[in-house]
């Protein structure tokens, strides 16, 4: 068994300034669209790194759901600049992309196909160390051994997993989240809740991960509604909650909510389903499915108890599902795929693809640690219920 976290986690308002204390010669800053530049945080990061005595270059424009092509372009930029620090800032996408770029920078002959096998990365840190700075409160990629990269030609999101890509330094500064749009706050917040719940019931949960997962669950239920409405104190607590959830799932792994989200996110022709939104829609029915496993049922009851749900144990799991569904309503998250983005995914397209999506979801790296292994038929049933937004009975 193994438990791995970044060597240093700096947290609190203003903790971004810790970048001034890094020792090195060159840093490349990897970020997404314009939000970090528009809010002034990118300039602040560059200034801190220059104050540390480093030459700085930027790689901007990492798209949501980053592609293999973007990763390869970023790695090429790194090979030309030769940084000894990679500093990734933003939501999950730029940090995930930078983790994959890191591997191709240090090992130019690596093939993407080599990296999609879990825990198959080459040994990193031969050229650079890694700093991750999250600006959203959900993915926790700043503390995890995971990244998600999309192969758009195949329409599949690949979760990359290896302790090598756990960052060396994580900076958890809630100031970066204050300008988050409400929808992003909702989706990332429910992503954090899913991380914590899946980690708590994972077959690889442990005494090291359980307290982190449970504390994150309680904090998300307490602070997410106020964070959604823009309260800065709540956003600070959500930023810490999602980090705790990341520390838990990076070591306990996840389950089939994530398998389903990975394989539906890029599967449909009219657009993408945001990862956190997909998790939120799928989580209640996956809990119902998993609760047929006695150990998982008992652990869901423990979650319900911690969240103040009262009554008979036999009713508590369904009450937990109802609580999650009620949060989805408050956060304006649809009940099912059919209702996402004004019916972006047609019934015809879904039914034509559900068999292959189910097959790919079962093969996903997250399925192995789920407490109940689904058959092809069961996965198709789960996905179909999640399309129509109906309660799944198993």
């Amino acid at each position: 068994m193994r438990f791995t976290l970044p060597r240093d986690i700096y947290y609190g308002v203003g903790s971004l300034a810790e970048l001034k204390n890094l020792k090195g010669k060159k840093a490349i800053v990897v970020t997404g669209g314009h939000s970090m530049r528009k809010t002034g945080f990118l300039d602040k990061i560059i200034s801190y790194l220059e104050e540390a005595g480093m030459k700085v270059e930027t790689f901007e424009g990492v798209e949501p759901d980053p592609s293999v092509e973007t990763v390869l372009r970023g790695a090429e930029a790194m090979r030309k600049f030769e940084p000894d620090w990679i500093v990734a800032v933003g939501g999950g996408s730029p940090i995930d992309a930078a983790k994959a770029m890191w591997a191709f920078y240090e090992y130019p002959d690596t093939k993407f196909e080599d990296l999609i096998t879990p825990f198959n990365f080459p040994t990193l840190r031969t050229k650079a160390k890694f700093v991750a700075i999250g600006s959203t409160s959900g993915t926790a990629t700043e503390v995890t051994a995971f990244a998600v990269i999309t192969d758009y030609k195949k329409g599949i999101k690949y979760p990359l997993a290896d302790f090598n890509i756990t960052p060396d330094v994580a900076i958890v500064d809630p100031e970066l989240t204050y300008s988050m749009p409400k929808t992003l706050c909702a989706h990332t917040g429910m992503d954090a809740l899913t991380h914590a719940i899946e980690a708590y019931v994972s077959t690889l949960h442990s005494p090291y991960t359980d307290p982190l997962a449970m504390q994150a669950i309680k904090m998300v239920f307490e602070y997410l509604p106020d964070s959604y409405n823009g309260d800065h104190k709540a956003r600070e607590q959500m930023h810490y909650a999602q980090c705790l959830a990341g520390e838990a799932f990076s070591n306990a792994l996840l389950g089939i909510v994530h398998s389903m989200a990975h394989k539906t996110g890029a599967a449909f022709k009219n657009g993408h389903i945001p990862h956190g939104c997909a998790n939120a829609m799928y989580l209640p029915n996956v809990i119902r499915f998993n609760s047929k496993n006695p150990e998982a049922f008992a652990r869901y009851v423990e979650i319900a108890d911690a969240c103040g749900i009262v009554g008979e144990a036999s009713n508590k799991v369904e009450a937990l599902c109802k609580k999650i569904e009620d949060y989805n309503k408050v956060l304006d998250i649809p009940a099912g795929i059919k209702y996402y983005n004004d019916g972006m995914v047609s019934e015809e397209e879904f039914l034509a693809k559900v068999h292959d999506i189910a097959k790919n979801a079962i093969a996903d790296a997250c399925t192995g640690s789920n407490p109940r292994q689904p058959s092809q038929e069961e996965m198709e049933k789960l996905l179909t219920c999640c399309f129509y937004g109906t309660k799944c009975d198993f």
Side-chain angles (χ1 to χ4, degrees):
M1 303 294 283
R2 180 173 175 175
F3 184 81
T4 301
L5 297 176
R7 184 179 187 279
D8 293 299
I9 301 173
Y10 297 102
Y11 65 95
V13 174
S15 55
L16 195 64
E18 288 293 337
L19 290 170
K20 292 189 290 188
N21 299 319
L22 294 182
K23 308 294 184 200
K25 295 178 181 178
K26 292 182 181 180
I28 189 167
V29 181
V30 179
T31 189
H34 304 294
S35 64
M36 288 298 99
R37 188 172 283 284
K38 195 161 62 177
T39 55
F41 285 114
L42 182 58
D43 288 340
K44 197 179 276 192
I45 287 165
I46 293 168
S47 175
Y48 286 147
L49 291 168
E50 288 176 341
E51 199 173 330
M54 285 192 253
K55 186 178 178 183
V56 183
E57 277 198 4
T58 60
F59 183 89
E60 299 180 60
V62 175
E63 73 274 38
D65 303 311
S67 65
V68 177
E69 290 76 15
T70 295
V71 166
L72 296 177
R73 281 194 301 107
E76 179 61 27
M78 289 176 187
R79 284 194 289 273
K80 287 179 181 175
F81 182 56
E82 298 184 328
D84 46 13
W85 281 101
I86 298 166
V87 180
V89 59
S93 296
I95 299 175
D96 282 4
K99 287 179 176 179
M101 291 172 191
W102 190 13
F104 288 106
Y105 166 46
E106 298 206 0
Y107 296 91
D109 295 331
T110 297
K111 300 286 188 292
F112 183 70
E113 291 72 22
D114 299 332
L115 302 183
I116 63 177
T117 302
F119 301 97
N120 195 46
F121 270 65
T123 300
L124 298 179
R125 296 167 182 82
T126 63
K127 296 179 182 177
K129 291 183 180 179
F130 196 99
V131 181
I133 308 162
S135 67
T136 61
S137 299
T139 67
T141 189
E142 73 273 7
V143 293
T144 74
F146 298 97
V148 179
I149 305 298
T150 302
D151 185 331
Y152 285 93
K153 291 173 184 170
K154 295 180 180 177
I156 292 178
K157 289 185 177 184
Y158 288 104
L160 309 181
D162 198 286
F163 288 116
N164 267 289
I165 57 172
T166 304
D168 298 282
V169 177
I171 295 178
V172 187
D173 188 334
E175 273 194 304
L176 276 74
T177 72
Y178 293 167
S179 59
M180 246 199 314
K182 289 184 76 168
T183 299
L184 186 58
C185 180
H187 292 174
T188 56
M190 292 305 289
D191 190 20
L193 181 66
T194 306
H195 289 156
I197 291 177
E198 289 211 294
Y200 195 75
V201 301
S202 163
T203 57
L204 296 174
H205 76 85
S206 74
Y208 292 90
T209 60
D210 285 349
L212 296 166
M214 186 62 85
Q215 179 66 14
I217 292 164
K218 291 189 287 189
M219 290 175 73
V220 172
F221 277 130
E222 181 174 355
Y223 292 109
L224 182 53
D226 286 343
S227 176
Y228 177 67
N229 289 320
D231 180 83
H232 283 192
K233 186 65 179 173
R235 290 212 168 179
E236 178 179 2
Q237 295 303 312
M238 274 300 303
H239 209 39
Y240 302 154
Q242 64 87 34
C243 186
L244 294 172
E247 291 168 13
F249 90 77
S250 186
N251 291 280
L253 306 187
L254 292 162
I256 60 172
V257 178
H258 273 77
S259 303
M260 293 160 65
H262 291 151
K263 297 318 187 250
T264 53
F268 303 109
K269 64 182 180 183
N270 289 333
H272 296 83
I273 302 171
H275 178 71
C277 180
N279 281 340
M281 292 189 293
Y282 308 160
L283 180 57
N285 273 329
V286 169
I287 290 174
R288 292 178 178 114
F289 172 78
N290 285 342
S291 65
K292 300 305 177 186
N293 173 299
E295 184 180 346
F297 175 84
R299 294 184 74 76
Y300 288 130
V301 170
E302 289 172 7
I303 293 171
D305 288 340
C307 296
I309 293 171
V310 296
E312 296 294 322
S314 57
N315 298 324
K316 284 182 180 179
V317 174
E318 183 55 37
L320 176 63
C321 294
K322 177 72 163 49
K323 185 179 181 78
I324 294 165
E325 289 166 346
D326 288 345
Y327 267 61
N328 284 346
K329 288 174 187 173
V330 168
L331 300 170
D332 201 27
I333 291 171
I337 299 169
K338 180 180 179 180
Y339 307 103
Y340 175 73
N341 197 15
D342 298 321
M344 178 189 84
V345 182
S346 70
E347 183 178 54
E348 181 182 19
E349 184 184 12
F350 174 80
L351 293 175
K353 292 181 174 179
V354 66
H355 176 84
D356 287 346
I357 292 171
K359 184 178 178 181
N360 289 334
I362 290 169
D364 188 89
C366 292
T367 300
S369 48
N370 195 69
R372 183 182 175 196
Q373 292 300 298
S375 66
Q376 174 74 21
E377 183 183 0
E378 287 168 336
M379 182 59 84
E380 287 186 34
K381 181 179 177 180
L382 259 176
L383 285 161
T384 302
C385 290
C386 291
F387 176 79
Y388 293 107
T390 55
K391 178 179 170 181
C392 236
D393 292 317
F394 289 96

